[in-house]
Amino acid sequence: MEEADRILIHSLRQAGTAVPPDVQSLRAFTTELVVEAVVCCLRVINPDVGSGLSPLLPLAMSARFRLAMSLAQACMDLGYPLELGYQNFLYPSEPDLRDLLLFLAERLPTDSSEDADQPAGDSAILLRAIGNQVREQLAVPWVPPLLRTPKLQQLQGSAPQKPLQTSRLVLPELSSRGESREFQGSPLLLPPPAQVPQLAERAASLLECHTVQLCQHAHHDCPGDEDWVHRAARLPGQEDARAQRQRLHKHLAEQLHQTWAHLGPPAPACDLGEQLQAWGAGTRTGARATKGSRFTHSEKFTFQPEPKAQTAQASDVPASQRPQQDMLAAQEQELESLREQLEGVNHNIEEVEADMKTLGLSLVQVETECQQSELSTAEREQTLRLKSRAVELLPDGLANLTKLQVVVESSAQRIIHLAGQWEKHRVPLLAEYRHLRRLQDCRELESSRRLAEIQELHQSVRLAAEEARRKEEVYKQLVSELETLPKDVSRLAYTQRILEIVGNIRKQKEEITKILSDTKDLQKEINSLSGKLDRTFAVTDELVFKDAKKDDAVRKAYKYLAALHENCSQLIQTIEDTGTIMREVRDLEEQIETEMGKKTLSNLEKIQEDYRALRQENAGLLGRVREA
Amino acid sequence: MAAAEAGDTQQMLGVGLIEKDTNGEVLWVWCYPSTTAALRTLLLRKCCLTASNKLSQPFVFGQYRRTWFYITTVEVPDSSVLKKVTHFSIVVTAKDFNPEKYAAFSRMLCRVYLKHGSPVKMMESYIAVLTKGICQSEENGSFLNKDFDAQKAYLAGSIKDIVAQFGMETVILHMALMLKKRVVVYHPKIEAVQEFTRTLPALVWHRQDWTVLHSYVHLDTDELDALQKCPGYVAGFVDPEVSDRSDLYDVFVNLAESEITITPLAKEAMTMGKLHREIGQLIVQSAEDPEKSDSQVIQDISLKTREIFTNLAPFSEASGDGEKRVLNFAALKQRRFPPATENFLCQLAVAEQMLKI
């Protein structure tokens, strides 16, 4: 109970109740403290309801009564299951108070929901850390210079702590062309942070670059100052340095005034991005130097070529007039001669075209003739060969003919024989080839299947690795968060205690079930025994009674039996009664304890006192009314 | 007789065997006497076994560099002795155009091969036809070379069908053939292309030249090179992309949609005048006559063609060696025909090689 009370008190403190440090348990809660605690909790849970109630207990009894009633109403509106009245607040009893405060503490909103939404990752942690630092530093109130501690002097002092050394950064520009564009795109141009080797100079150089850009963009919008822009863009070093610096000063001061006017106290829960946005919301639209959208950039650049095109058109050389008449005549003559020439050339062209056509046709014809003659030559050669052989064989015509036929027959036979031999070689080779091809196909199927399996395995390995990496990140982030959490409440001890208690409860439950089952068994046994007893008695009774009519001794035995049964049953009855009474005694003892805890007597005295005070107040008010 | 037959049978150049086995692979397994690698690739492409579509065209023929090939494809039934083979094609190469003869011959060879499972038996039949011009088949009947006449092959196509499909536009085809232009015919089915293209050279019957026919061509560089060496041709394609290749044709015939297109370049050369209208009318009239057979229609057309030549006769003079007539340009121009007709006659003279060089 002590531990639970301490947790409760701690959460009440967090809600805003000023619980004195020596109050360690709910028993020590006074009426004032109770009212203050409840009101603070209500304020946190439901601000509009809670703000109407005052945490301080008023002195007047009726006011107290009213406050208590409204508190009771508010708590019941929140959903408290039991009945509440003014007595719960004015005359609190420990168990009821514990229930009520636990109910309210549950309803308090938790902080952990905020953290769950924030993005994971190292960069997020870094940004959050930066945001926290900035917020903290902003929250430090301004202290006059002479009263500052060295640390505050660092934060708030205006004297530069390190000499400002900057180096000129080369940034790629959208409007660059040709060689400079190539250079800017090449790996020779390092990214701006890498262009400055010393860390101290890096931030300074970036600031300088940014300021220069700001000035250029700011004065872009003021058409009157165009000269300044051109001059500044071309030769920044040769300007009147002081005039430039003054302008810059003015511009920066303007900007700061504008942004600071919009800035309020930074909300505790906003992150770096929101803070930066809050500052940036007040700037002029002209100073959007850093991140114009791509659309606006492209807009700017499409409008640029148009004016250029317009200027290019204006460069027509005006035709010069030559009003001399003899020049006209000479021109006409020239024109005539040229026309004649043209006609002649056209005529020539036509002639040449006609020639070309005829030549083309004759070319086609000649080509076909050539091809045909080639073919016919080949054919004629063949026939010539055949006929010359025939002529050779002609003298002995018939005999040669038969000889030829025989030769043809025999060569046919030989060829067929050779073909048969070739078959002997060909067929096994072909069969083997087909067999091997089939094997190869099977193997390819097999290997493609295995390849698919391997790829699947790779995939699952990759997924598992990613999963592991992600969990590592989350773990790292959670560990760092855990370190930043306040250490005043040791959750580990509580969780362990809770687990212990849960275990104990489980064991007790087991024991209870065991006892219950034992009890049930016993009851069953008792029932069965009593049943047996009754039956036995009934049988014995009958048996003996039958004989009792005849025999005297049996009659006596019967009387003894009846008496025995009677006495035993009385005994059993007495035992049962004893048990019941003992149970009642235990119950009553418990009730007495709880009632004692409620401090009813002291409350009753307090009530009587208050009642008397109330009556006095009423009497006083009545008297005043009558006087008035 | 034997000599005449020998002259005929020397037309056959070779026989080859292509098989598709249970692995799904198509192989050239046997040939006699020999083939070049180019011809082998060509024939593998032509035989429909390599194509993934299951439509088997039982008989295709075509020409490649003056060699005619005839391919018969057969599916092997399960009961045959050929265990590992699902389909096979028999290729017969020859120098002459005679689809009917070689179709019958290769059908017989297929039967032999199916029965015996060995090309040796096939070769016996082939050699028999090669040497004797006759081959006894195992079933009743035999294959006789002389049953198949070249003229019959030329006349086997149906000119009436062509005129029925194209009507007056047939005169464009007639003109293209007369002027030895390049005609490309497209239809998704090879049978339709073959039937149509084999009949076209009949329109210029006086030449009786079927070497211009390339009835089955693929869009392959080698084949197209060979094709373009011929000045004028009738080529059949089943590849729809051929319509984009306007460098290959002067006249494009889309058989599936019954459309004839003349390329812009050729339009100038093929302008038509009164003469052509006359020819067109004659062709249509003749084909519509139900009494006339195909060969009679062809006769009519060739008569009309000869008329044109007789018209040219006054302007031509005998050339030096007395055989050929040569056209006198000047005389033709004096006659002052309408420009379309004059153009046509000039080009015709070129095609018939009557121009004075």
Side-chain angles (χ1 to χ4, degrees):
Chain A
M1 277 310 150
E2 290 278 329
E3 289 292 337
D5 284 353
R6 243 181 288 163
I7 297 173
L8 194 57
I9 291 167
H10 174 75
S11 40
L12 288 174
R13 278 206 192 104
Q14 275 198 327
T17 321
V19 182
D22 56 345
V23 171
Q24 287 294 337
S25 80
L26 285 182
R27 201 187 304 267
F29 264 50
T30 59
T31 321
E32 287 90 15
L33 203 52
V34 168
V35 167
E36 196 187 334
V38 171
V39 171
C40 287
C41 290
L42 281 173
R43 276 202 184 147
V44 174
I45 295 168
N46 199 345
D48 11 300
V49 167
S51 53
L53 305 164
S54 101
L56 298 170
L57 202 55
L59 294 168
M61 200 50 230
S62 50
R64 275 197 211 181
F65 175 71
R66 230 177 297 134
L67 181 62
M69 283 307 292
S70 45
L71 281 178
Q73 188 59 41
C75 291
M76 291 198 30
D77 286 339
L78 277 179
Y80 193 64
L82 302 172
E83 288 257 341
L84 281 180
Y86 65 94
Q87 71 277 12
N88 295 85
F89 300 96
L90 296 179
Y91 317 110
S93 66
E94 202 185 328
D96 294 336
L97 185 63
R98 187 167 295 121
D99 288 338
L100 179 64
L101 287 176
L102 277 172
F103 170 79
L104 286 173
E106 269 173 42
R107 288 278 187 286
L108 285 173
T110 46
D111 292 327
S112 59
S113 56
E114 289 178 352
D115 292 328
D117 296 337
Q118 286 175 352
D122 287 332
S123 58
I125 297 178
L126 178 67
L127 285 175
R128 230 178 295 146
I130 293 174
N132 288 340
Q133 271 277 42
V134 170
R135 221 180 301 134
E136 277 176 25
Q137 291 189 358
L138 278 178
V140 170
W142 185 84
V143 176
L146 299 172
L147 301 175
R148 286 183 200 146
T149 61
K151 193 158 164 219
L152 277 179
Q153 182 67 20
Q154 240 185 354
L155 271 181
Q156 296 183 357
S158 58
Q161 295 166 7
K162 298 196 182 106
L164 182 78
Q165 282 171 334
T166 61
S167 32
R168 188 98 181 283
L169 292 176
V170 181
L171 294 175
E173 291 158 24
L174 281 169
S175 59
S176 59
R177 293 275 174 272
E179 216 180 288
S180 59
R181 196 186 184 89
E182 273 181 41
F183 171 64
Q184 284 166 11
S186 71
L188 290 174
L189 182 68
L190 303 168
Q195 285 177 21
V196 187
Q198 280 127 331
L199 275 174
E201 282 186 23
R202 221 174 265 180
S205 314
L206 283 169
L207 283 172
E208 185 202 26
C209 192
H210 176 68
T211 322
V212 167
Q213 279 182 349
L214 265 179
C215 294
Q216 286 183 346
H217 276 269
H219 286 276
H220 230 282
D221 293 346
C222 316
D225 265 343
E226 268 179 11
D227 286 339
W228 191 92
V229 172
H230 292 313
R231 277 183 284 147
R234 279 202 316 261
L235 309 161
Q238 291 179 12
E239 239 334 278
D240 183 9
R242 197 195 283 175
Q244 215 177 351
R245 200 186 298 163
Q246 274 182 358
R247 255 185 283 249
L248 192 62
H249 232 97
K250 195 170 62 165
H251 180 70
L252 284 174
E254 261 181 55
Q255 277 242 314
L256 280 173
H257 279 306
Q258 283 193 338
T259 53
W260 218 254
H262 295 262
L263 203 57
C270 72
D271 65 351
L272 187 61
E274 287 171 14
Q275 283 182 357
L276 292 175
Q277 259 189 3
W279 291 341
T283 53
R284 283 191 324 195
T285 50
R288 226 182 337 162
T290 41
K291 287 188 201 265
S293 68
R294 213 187 279 169
F295 176 63
T296 53
H297 275 304
S298 65
E299 244 184 46
K300 272 191 229 160
F301 290 124
T302 45
F303 284 133
Q304 269 181 16
E306 274 191 24
K308 280 196 198 146
Q310 282 171 4
T311 50
Q313 279 174 11
S315 61
D316 281 344
V317 178
S320 54
Q321 304 260 333
R322 292 206 212 145
Q324 289 122 356
Q325 297 289 341
D326 47 350
M327 297 298 270
L328 267 171
Q331 272 186 344
E332 279 193 23
Q333 262 189 344
E334 242 184 274
L335 201 61
E336 279 294 324
S337 61
L338 283 172
R339 270 208 204 107
E340 279 172 31
Q341 272 188 18
L342 183 67
E343 274 182 34
V345 167
N346 276 345
H347 191 69
N348 286 349
I349 287 175
E350 277 170 29
E351 280 179 18
V352 166
E353 272 184 8
D355 284 340
M356 264 175 49
K357 231 192 313 177
T358 39
L359 281 173
L361 289 173
S362 41
L363 177 72
V364 165
Q365 186 182 314
V366 165
E367 275 183 5
T368 33
E369 271 185 27
C370 182
Q371 270 185 359
Q372 276 193 344
S373 50
E374 274 180 23
L375 283 167
S376 56
T377 322
E379 272 175 43
R380 280 201 207 125
E381 271 182 27
Q382 274 249 354
T383 32
L384 174 70
R385 226 181 312 137
L386 196 61
K387 292 222 168 114
S388 60
R389 290 299 297 277
V391 156
E392 276 173 31
L393 295 171
L394 207 52
D396 194 10
L398 272 167
N400 280 339
L401 202 61
T402 38
K403 254 195 260 176
L404 267 175
Q405 278 179 347
V406 164
V407 165
V408 162
E409 281 285 332
S410 60
S411 21
Q413 288 299 322
R414 206 183 54 223
I415 287 176
I416 292 174
H417 179 67
L418 282 171
Q421 284 195 325
W422 167 237
E423 277 305 295
K424 272 192 235 138
H425 288 277
R426 184 188 76 99
V427 167
L429 282 173
L430 192 65
E432 195 180 326
Y433 173 78
R434 286 191 170 140
H435 176 67
L436 288 172
R437 258 323 255 268
R438 204 167 39 119
L439 280 179
Q440 189 201 28
D441 283 340
C442 294
R443 217 174 296 151
E444 264 182 25
L445 267 162
E446 187 68 31
S447 59
S448 64
R449 198 174 51 82
R450 292 232 185 99
L451 195 66
E453 271 179 42
I454 289 174
Q455 275 178 347
E456 264 185 50
L457 270 172
H458 270 299
Q459 185 75 353
S460 54
V461 160
R462 221 176 312 152
L463 282 173
E466 258 199 57
E467 191 71 27
R469 215 178 311 136
R470 204 168 41 82
K471 295 229 169 108
E472 276 280 341
E473 269 184 41
V474 171
Y475 170 72
K476 253 193 286 182
Q477 188 199 342
L478 287 174
V479 160
S480 61
E481 266 185 50
L482 181 68
E483 283 166 21
T484 58
L485 279 177
K487 289 253 189 312
D488 44 0
V489 183
S490 117
R491 289 173 55 141
L492 193 62
Y494 289 131
T495 44
Q496 276 183 350
R497 201 82 60 75
I498 289 170
L499 287 170
E500 254 184 63
I501 293 173
V502 166
N504 285 345
I505 289 176
R506 207 179 309 133
K507 264 187 260 172
Q508 282 178 2
K509 197 161 156 207
E510 277 174 28
E511 279 179 32
I512 289 174
T513 15
K514 206 162 28 125
I515 290 172
L516 275 175
S517 61
D518 283 346
T519 316
K520 248 186 263 171
D521 288 339
L522 271 173
Q523 186 67 36
K524 244 192 268 180
E525 226 183 290
I526 292 173
N527 287 349
S528 69
L529 281 172
S530 62
K532 217 195 293 186
L533 172 72
D534 283 337
R535 283 193 294 277
T536 324
F537 175 67
V539 167
T540 327
D541 186 56
E542 240 189 81
L543 211 59
V544 173
F545 190 72
K546 247 196 293 189
D547 291 336
K549 286 191 201 144
K550 303 167 208 152
D551 210 352
D552 230 4
V554 178
R555 210 182 293 147
K556 236 193 277 183
Y558 181 74
K559 274 194 207 135
Y560 285 149
L561 175 69
L564 179 67
H565 185 74
E566 190 74 39
N567 292 339
C568 287
S569 51
Q570 266 185 2
L571 251 164
I572 291 170
Q573 191 61 39
T574 325
I575 294 172
E576 278 180 19
D577 287 342
T578 323
T580 326
I581 290 171
M582 286 200 58
R583 252 181 280 139
E584 276 181 32
V585 160
R586 227 180 319 165
D587 285 341
L588 284 170
E589 276 180 8
E590 265 189 53
Q591 277 185 8
I592 289 170
E593 262 197 54
T594 42
E595 288 302 322
M596 293 295 289
K598 285 196 185 166
K599 302 196 283 195
T600 330
L601 264 171
S602 54
N603 277 351
L604 192 61
E605 281 173 32
K606 249 193 276 170
I607 290 173
Q608 280 180 341
E609 265 185 46
D610 290 336
Y611 172 64
R612 250 177 267 132
L614 200 60
R615 280 193 75 162
Q616 277 181 355
E617 269 182 41
N618 280 354
L621 283 168
L622 259 172
R624 260 198 274 156
V625 164
R626 241 181 263 131
E627 280 173 32
Chain B
M1 189 182 86
E5 279 177 9
D8 274 340
T9 54
Q10 287 217 354
Q11 304 279 11
M12 281 208 290
L13 291 172
V15 63
L17 181 63
I18 301 176
E19 281 180 1
K20 180 171 184 172
D21 53 27
T22 46
N23 295 341
E25 209 183 338
V26 177
L27 296 169
W28 178 284
V29 295
W30 183 89
C31 66
Y32 172 75
S34 64
T35 45
T36 58
L39 197 59
R40 270 207 298 275
T41 20
L42 177 90
L43 291 168
L44 278 171
R45 199 184 312 129
K46 298 294 179 203
C47 93
C48 52
L49 293 176
T50 45
S52 51
N53 53 344
K54 287 299 167 197
L55 314 160
S56 58
Q57 292 118 14
F59 181 64
V60 295
F61 62 87
Q63 192 207 144
Y64 172 72
R65 293 190 204 267
R66 301 222 166 224
T67 309
W68 287 92
F69 55 87
Y70 305 87
I71 309 179
T72 313
T73 315
V74 168
E75 184 175 347
V76 176
D78 291 331
S79 57
S80 154
V81 288
L82 301 161
K83 291 295 170 209
K84 285 257 166 73
V85 184
T86 59
H87 299 76
F88 69 87
S89 300
I90 293 196
V91 180
V92 180
T93 45
K95 285 209 286 242
D96 63 328
F97 172 76
N98 202 330
E100 280 70 33
K101 172 165 98 177
Y102 293 109
F105 183 43
S106 45
R107 264 201 306 274
M108 204 189 67
L109 290 176
C110 285
R111 279 201 293 272
V112 170
Y113 185 56
L114 261 181
K115 184 135 181 244
H116 295 274
S118 156
V120 182
K121 282 282 177 204
M122 219 168 66
M123 211 169 105
E124 285 178 15
S125 316
Y126 177 77
I127 300 255
V129 171
L130 190 63
T131 49
K132 295 195 239 114
I134 181 169
C135 168
Q136 288 282 21
S137 76
E138 313 241 331
E139 292 101 42
N140 53 344
S142 54
F143 172 78
L144 285 145
N145 225 351
K146 58 187 199 292
D147 283 344
F148 299 90
D149 183 36
Q151 288 269 331
K152 271 203 272 186
Y154 292 163
L155 290 169
S158 165
I159 193 89
K160 280 191 164 182
D161 286 344
I162 295 183
V163 182
Q165 189 172 2
F166 287 102
M168 270 300 267
E169 291 191 321
T170 321
V171 77
I172 304 177
L173 296 171
H174 176 255
M175 188 155 121
L177 282 160
M178 288 278 275
L179 299 179
K180 289 208 175 154
K181 295 290 178 198
R182 305 172 296 165
V183 180
V184 158
V185 180
Y186 161 70
H187 192 279
K189 285 199 164 156
I190 185 63
E191 294 102 350
V193 173
Q194 280 179 171
E195 265 311 300
F196 183 79
T197 46
R198 71 169 298 171
T199 325
L200 280 182
L203 286 171
V204 281
W205 184 252
H206 60 280
R207 290 190 202 142
Q208 291 204 7
D209 178 20
W210 257 253
T211 55
V212 295
L213 173 65
H214 297 74
S215 56
Y216 189 17
V217 188
H218 282 102
L219 284 171
D220 175 67
T221 336
D222 187 36
E223 287 186 58
L224 294 177
D225 276 342
L227 191 65
Q228 287 181 318
K229 286 212 174 65
C230 313
Y233 50 77
V234 175
F237 289 82
V238 287
D239 198 342
E241 288 171 11
V242 70
S243 57
D244 300 328
R245 297 289 303 267
S246 50
D247 56 323
L248 288 177
Y249 57 83
D250 298 318
V251 178
F252 180 71
V253 179
N254 191 333
L255 208 53
E257 312 201 348
S258 302
E259 272 177 13
I260 301 186
T261 330
I262 309 179
T263 55
L265 289 169
K267 264 199 166 55
E268 192 197 301
M270 285 181 60
T271 40
M272 300 206 274
K274 191 165 76 84
L275 178 64
H276 302 288
R277 212 169 326 128
E278 280 173 27
I279 300 175
Q281 275 168 355
L282 169 78
I283 294 176
V284 170
Q285 261 175 0
S286 178
E288 277 173 3
D289 194 342
E291 306 273 314
K292 294 203 173 155
S293 71
D294 283 309
S295 46
Q296 278 177 316
V297 174
I298 294 176
Q299 286 293 331
D300 287 341
I301 299 175
S302 86
L303 272 170
K304 182 73 185 170
T305 320
R306 225 164 303 200
E307 237 182 73
I308 301 176
F309 284 121
T310 36
N311 282 348
L312 266 183
F315 312 104
S316 61
E317 53 204 32
S319 70
D321 50 7
E323 263 208 30
K324 264 202 341 202
R325 307 205 54 92
V326 175
L327 185 67
N328 191 341
F329 241 152
L332 184 66
K333 278 206 166 20
Q334 273 185 351
R335 178 64 174 77
R336 290 202 175 278
F337 277 120
T341 317
E342 189 179 313
N343 202 5
F344 173 68
L345 290 173
C346 284
Q347 303 230 358
L348 184 59
V350 171
E352 296 291 333
Q353 295 172 350
M354 283 166 55
L355 211 56
K356 187 158 62 173
I357 304 164

